[in-house]
Amino acid sequence: MDTPTSAKTINRPNSELTNAAFIIAGVVSAAFGLKSFLLSSHFIDGGVTGVSMLLATGFRLPLSVFILIINLPFIALGYKQLGRRFALRSALGIGGLALMLAFVPFPDVTHDLLLTAVFGGVFIGAGIGLAMRGGAVLDGTEIAALLVSRYLVLLKVSDLILILNVIIFGVAVLVLGTEPALYSMLTYFAAARVLEFVLNGIEQYTGVTIVSEYSDAVRKVITEKLGRGVTMYQGKSGYGKRGELGLERDIVFTVVTRLELPALRTAVQEVDPNAFIVQYRIDDAQGGIIKKRALH
C-alpha cells in the first residue's frame, strides 16, 4: 500500500526533473510524428494541432508559427484556471515543439500513405501522452474542452473534443480533399488510442460491483486470495423471483486492473455462480491497496 503523497512531495525538485523528462520526450515524439510522417503527405491531426496544420497549408506559413499563436490563449486560460506550474510547463512544451518543428531536421520515413497515417498518429499520441504525464499539454484542445464543459452541463469533455474534431475534419475535406481528410481521421484515431495507452497503460483500472448472497465469502476471496481491498455497502434486493424482494444484503465493490479481471471473475464465480457482477472502466485511482507504476 502506497503512502499518501503531499503537495510538497509532488513539487520537489526530483519530481520536476521527472516532469521535464516526460515533457522533453513528448516534444521529440510529437515533432517526429509531424515532420517525419504527416507534413510531407499533407495529413493533419485533430485539435489545435490540426487547426494549425490547416492554417499553415492555407496561408503557406510555417506550422511552428501557428502552433504558438493558436495555443497562447489556451495557455493563458490554463494559467488562470489550472495554475502557474501547469501553464509554465505547457508553455515550455509547446514552445519546444514549435522550435523543433522550425529548426530540427527529421528524415521522411515513408511515402506509404497508410503507414504515414498510422505511425504519424502513434508518435503524436505518444508525445501528447508523455507531456500529460509530465503535467503539461502540447495541444490546447483539452484545456478549452475542460473549461467549456463547466458551463455546458449536458456535454462532457470528450463530447466537446469530438464535436471540435468533426468540424476540423469537415473543413479538411474542403481544404485538403477527401482522401487526405480520411487518412487524417485515421491519424487521429491512432493518436487517440496511443494517448490512452500512454496515460493508462495496460493496467487500466476497472471498478467491479458484486451482488451475491455470499458477500462475506466473496470479500474474503478478493482480499485473501487476490490481495485487493474491498468496500462493503448495504443494499436491498429489488427483484424477488423467490420472494426475497427488499431483502437486505451486503454489496462488494473493488478496483482491479484489467489484467486481474479474469482471475477476479473466476474466483467470484467459484464462490457463487449466480453472483451479479458489474464492471466499468475507471480512468484513474489512487490510495487503498493499489500499487501504481510511474510508467507502463
Side-chain angles (χ1 to χ4, degrees), residues 206-240:
T206 300
V208 183
T209 299
I210 304 160
V211 182
S212 170
E213 297 179 23
Y214 310 101
S215 56
D216 193 58
V218 170
R219 176 190 63 80
K220 287 182 179 179
V221 77
I222 294 174
T223 56
E224 296 176 7
K225 184 176 179 180
L226 301 179
R228 283 318 206 183
V230 301
T231 297
M232 307 287 289
Y233 58 95
Q234 198 171 67
K236 290 184 178 181
S237 59
Y239 177 67

Side-chain angles (χ1 to χ4, degrees), residues 231-251:
T231 297
M232 307 287 289
Y233 58 95
Q234 198 171 67
K236 290 184 178 181
S237 59
Y239 177 67
K241 184 170 65 174
R242 293 175 297 179
E244 71 275 15
L245 180 64
L247 181 67
E248 292 187 354
R249 62 182 52 173
D250 289 331
I251 299 170

Side-chain angles (χ1 to χ4, degrees), residues 31 39 47 50 67 88 100 103 114 129 133 137 158 185 188-189 213 217 248 285-286 290:
L39 293 181
I67 281 189
L88 180 60
M100 292 201 76
F103 299 111
L114 181 60
R133 293 291 292 265
V137 295
S158 57
M185 292 179 196
Y188 171 72
F189 291 134
E213 297 179 23
E248 292 187 354
Q286 66 180 42
I290 294 177

